[in-house]
Amino acid sequence: MTILETVGRTPLLPIFEGNNGARIFAKAEFFNPSGSVKDRAVKGMLVEAIKSGKLTKTKTILDATSGNTGIAYAMFGAALGYKVLLCLPANASKERKRLLNIYRAEIVATNPMESSDGALLKARQLYNDNPGTYYYPDQYSNDENWKAHYNGTAVEIWEQTDRKVTHFVAGMGTSGTFTGTARRLKEFNPSIKTVPMQPESPLHGLEGMKHMASTILPGFYDPTLFDGRIDVSTEEAKKMTRRLAEELGLFVGISSGANVLAAVKLAETLSSDAIIVTILCDSGNRYLSDELWD
Ligand SMILES: Cc1ncc(COP(=O)(O)O)c(C=O)c1O
């Protein structure tokens, strides 16, 4: 068995019940080998690139990432023997940068004021300057990203809920998790509602999440899959993140807290036959230095 084969098949954990009995469950994606949901997309993109010959041992893997994707590239790069170069906003957490160093990935720090868009533009520029040097998966427009969730996450949710899932709620970075999972769940059962979580404002602290109204839209972004939308503020997401650790022993990251909060808000509007599934994207370890834990 290789590390690639340990991606996915994560546990589905019961979280809370709404006042009217709607039940909330979450996929514990921190069980993936590099510790986040992004292992699914990165595995999908790299396996396809190796098979098709786009990624050879002479090329360096290059991409823009706010952190978790980079850690997944770095880990798989180390495991499979590829160099990795990552563009990320300079304000990404210290834990994330340190992890990238541990796997010997190189980092190009971009302007934090330009957030993930600055990193994206830098990666495109580096690639365009020297296309022969790099394999540029471009997680924002690579279909293998959302397909990893279409063929993995969604199928697991369908089976783990005994085909009873009624709602899926998740925030979006590249939107790969939301798009692939929502698309497949609706194919399984068109009455399943799939609801995006959005940061309340453009300048927010939900690391990994994009405020879509004010950023460059991912290539496979698909609003036709949206059944409504739930907005979450950074402060209330942090409060929920602490609550998950204190009440359930789930030490997860801020985007996970935001997802659960969105699921709780949705649960308040639903009755006892509702089964809501959301995503615990990564572990709280990635944010240990955040003032959230002070
Ligand atoms: C912490 C965190 N949560 C959630 C996501 C969103 O996942 P996706 O890119 O599939 O939309 C990311 C993506 O980078 C992330 O880093």
Side-chain angles (χ1 to χ4, degrees):
M1 191 172 200
T2 69
I3 196 112
L4 275 180
E5 291 159 69
T6 67
V7 175
R9 294 183 298 279
T10 53
L12 184 74
L13 305 176
I15 305 287
F16 296 124
E17 258 185 35
N19 288 336
N20 303 320
R23 284 178 290 160
I24 300 169
F25 294 84
K27 288 286 275 175
E29 293 298 311
F30 49 84
F31 277 98
N32 282 306
S34 89
S36 86
V37 65
K38 300 303 308 198
D39 282 357
R40 293 176 183 268
V42 168
K43 176 185 169 182
M45 293 189 291
L46 294 187
V47 166
E48 186 277 332
I50 293 167
K51 265 194 203 148
S52 65
K54 279 181 270 185
L55 174 56
T56 57
K57 286 278 156 87
T58 58
K59 291 197 175 174
T60 297
I61 300 166
L62 163 73
D63 214 338
T65 162
S66 61
N68 278 334
T69 310
I71 293 164
Y73 283 131
M75 186 207 68
F76 287 126
L80 302 173
Y82 295 96
K83 279 194 207 154
V84 176
L85 177 66
L86 302 164
C87 303
L88 69 153
N91 60 344
S93 77
K94 193 171 154 189
E95 292 85 352
R96 286 173 187 234
K97 289 188 221 156
R98 189 163 271 183
L99 262 170
L100 296 175
N101 285 329
I102 288 169
Y103 292 123
R104 292 274 172 253
E106 278 184 56
I107 297 173
V108 177
T110 60
N111 186 346
M113 294 311 288
E114 293 169 16
S115 125
S116 56
D117 288 351
L120 184 60
L121 295 172
K122 183 69 186 172
R124 280 187 191 160
Q125 182 216 322
L126 287 172
Y127 177 75
N128 289 331
D129 288 350
N130 281 301
T133 308
Y134 301 109
Y135 165 60
Y136 179 33
D138 189 3
Q139 59 160 339
Y140 287 91
S141 62
N142 189 323
D143 286 331
E144 298 304 320
N145 178 345
W146 66 264
K147 281 183 188 168
H149 300 282
Y150 180 92
N151 292 316
T153 319
V155 179
E156 293 169 29
I157 291 172
W158 184 240
E159 288 169 359
Q160 287 170 314
T161 59
D162 283 332
R163 308 174 170 207
K164 292 194 179 86
V165 54
T166 59
H167 294 76
F168 175 70
V169 190
M172 296 173 289
T174 64
S175 79
T177 307
F178 184 88
T179 303
T181 308
R183 187 167 287 152
R184 187 65 177 274
L185 287 177
K186 282 180 179 294
E187 284 174 18
F188 283 138
N189 177 356
S191 67
I192 294 174
K193 301 285 182 231
T194 56
V195 186
M197 182 279 289
Q198 275 287 270
E200 208 174 62
S201 60
L203 279 178
H204 62 86
L206 306 180
E207 199 165 318
M209 303 278 94
K210 266 179 176 264
H211 180 262
M212 291 298 178
S214 60
T215 51
I216 302 172
L217 293 177
F220 48 73
Y221 180 70
D222 184 2
T224 65
L225 297 167
F226 296 178
D227 297 302
R229 188 185 87 195
I230 297 175
D231 291 348
V232 162
S233 76
T234 301
E235 269 325 296
E236 57 179 352
K238 288 189 173 182
K239 225 182 256 175
M240 178 56 82
T241 309
R242 283 193 293 268
R243 205 180 140 197
L244 288 169
E246 290 163 11
E247 292 181 25
L248 301 180
L250 286 172
F251 179 45
V252 292
I254 300 158
S255 68
S256 308
N259 277 346
V260 170
L261 180 66
V264 166
K265 289 186 180 197
L266 182 65
E268 297 314 320
T269 69
L270 300 169
S271 57
S272 61
D273 50 2
I275 294 185
I276 306 168
V277 176
T278 191
I279 304 284
L280 303 175
C281 313
D282 61 6
S283 153
N285 285 326
R286 298 252 153 108
Y287 313 86
L288 264 178
S289 62
D290 194 289
E291 41 89 44
L292 155 72
W293 303 113
D294 287 345

